Amino acid sequence: MDISAAEAVAALESMKISHLKGLKKANNNLYGCSNIDVLSAAVKHADGENVTLKELCDEILRACGLEPLNSLDTASTIRRKLKFTLAMQ
């Protein structure tokens, strides 16, 4: 899939991670991980259908050797998937 730098930035900017206050799993805080499910203006699947920004973001993460996020994840899972070392609440 060929994409421009602007399309890659738009896809990555669509990824949002939010702390879900009051929700926990095994004493770990939960985070909502979402992407805007909007169609990319220029990127298409092989069948000609437009790719969503979520699909594009997931493909970019895979191409970088990272795992796409689930809609709900713990901080430790997000750190592992994104190889992220900074502190998260």
Side-chain angles (χ1 to χ4, degrees):
M1 178 181 322
D2 292 330
I3 64 169
S4 70
E7 291 160 340
V9 169
L12 292 171
E13 284 180 340
S14 76
M15 184 172 54
K16 305 291 182 211
I17 300 173
S18 307
H19 178 238
L20 301 174
K21 293 182 181 184
L23 291 178
K24 293 189 179 228
K25 177 181 177 183
N27 280 342
N28 289 311
N29 290 320
L30 283 176
Y31 292 82
C33 307
S34 62
N35 294 84
I36 300 170
D37 212 15
V38 174
L39 294 176
S40 169
V43 182
K44 297 185 183 299
H45 289 286
D47 63 5
E49 293 291 318
N50 284 68
V51 173
T52 65
L53 291 179
K54 177 182 179 357
E55 292 171 315
L56 190 53
C57 185
D58 289 351
E59 286 300 315
I60 292 167
L61 290 173
R62 283 186 196 100
C64 293
L66 304 172
E67 288 182 60
L69 302 176
N70 296 323
S71 58
L72 282 177
D73 269 323
T74 63
S76 60
T77 303
I78 294 169
R79 282 189 198 100
R80 180 184 54 77
K81 287 181 174 182
L82 298 181
K83 299 178 183 171
F84 188 74
T85 57
L86 296 176
M88 293 174 66
Q89 293 180 346

